[in-house]
């Protein structure tokens, strides 16, 4: 599914099955300059389950995303809501928020069995109530001026690591359970 300059679009109740080898596939859904809603859908196999580029304000909620390179990949996308998604079996990252976005909310997602469950970059975001399990790394914080709270980080090789250089985040009230190391250094 390709959305290009399509503000306000709603993608609901679709299933996209890609290649078993993500290197031979494409993204399940590409949203370029297309804020809207992607919900109650399934994306299996391919490069990225959902990829956004400058789709400020997009809502990605209640989706199932399996066996891609990355589950959800936000590029230059601010004011997004990623909520209640189930992401499993990604080659590299379950959810990756990158390239300087602001004011994103990543809430209540379940991410398991991937190299890195959740990587958040940018600033002024909220990351809370996610369940990050069974991965090499549960959570990597590259964001600044953000609130990161109430996540369950369990049964990962490493629980949490940070790449943020300035101590500007509020990181509090996490449950660290049975990780090989709770903090990666």
């Amino acid at each position: 599914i390709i959305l290009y300059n399509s503000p306000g679009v709603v993608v609901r109740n679709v299933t996209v099955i890609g290649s078993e080898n993500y290197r031979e596939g494409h993204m399940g859904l590409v949203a370029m300059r297309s804020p809207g809603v992607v919900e109650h859908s399934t994306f299996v196999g391919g490069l990225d389950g959902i990829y956004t580029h400058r789709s400020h304000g997009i809502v990605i909620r209640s989706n199932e995303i399996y066996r891609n390179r990355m589950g959800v990949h936000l590029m230059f996308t601010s004011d997004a809501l990623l909520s209640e998604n189930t992401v499993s079996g990604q080659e590299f990252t379950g959810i990756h928020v990158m390239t300087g976005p602001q004011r994103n909310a990543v809430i209540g997602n379940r991410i398991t069995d991937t190299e890195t469950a959740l990587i958040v970059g940018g600033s002024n975001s909220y990351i809370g109530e996610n369940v990050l399990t069974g991965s090499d790394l549960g959570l990597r914080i590259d964001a600044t001026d953000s609130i990161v709270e109430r996540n369950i980080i369990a049964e990962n090789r490493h629980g949490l690591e940070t790449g943020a250089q300035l101590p500007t985040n509020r990181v509090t009230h996490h449950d660290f359970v049975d990780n090989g190391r709770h903090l990666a250094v």
Side-chain angles (χ1 to χ4, degrees), residues 170-181:
R170 188 177 113 202
V171 180
T172 184
H173 291 93
H174 298 291
D175 288 331
F176 289 93
V177 180
D178 201 24
N179 296 292
R181 293 181 70 174

Side-chain angles (χ1 to χ4, degrees), residues 14 29 38 90 101 104 120 179:
V14 300
L29 181 138
V38 180
Q90 309 309 307
N104 288 310
V120 289
N179 296 292

Side-chain angles (χ1 to χ4, degrees), residues 128-179:
E129 300 178 16
N130 299 287
V131 177
L132 313 171
T133 63
S135 297
D136 189 53
L137 175 61
L139 174 61
R140 179 172 170 89
I141 303 170
D142 293 331
T144 59
D145 296 310
S146 295
I147 298 170
V148 185
E149 66 180 7
R150 302 184 192 287
N151 296 288
I152 297 171
I153 303 169
E155 299 176 356
N156 301 289
R157 184 168 162 239
H158 299 285
L160 170 73
E161 105 179 348
T162 183
Q165 299 298 312
L166 301 172
T168 59
N169 294 314
R170 188 177 113 202
V171 180
T172 184
H173 291 93
H174 298 291
D175 288 331
F176 289 93
V177 180
D178 201 24
N179 296 292

Side-chain angles (χ1 to χ4, degrees), residues 109-128:
N109 299 284
R110 299 184 63 82
I111 307 171
T112 188
D113 188 29
T114 187
E115 185 174 309
T116 302
L118 175 58
I119 302 174
V120 289
S123 63
N124 299 301
S125 292
Y126 180 80
I127 300 91

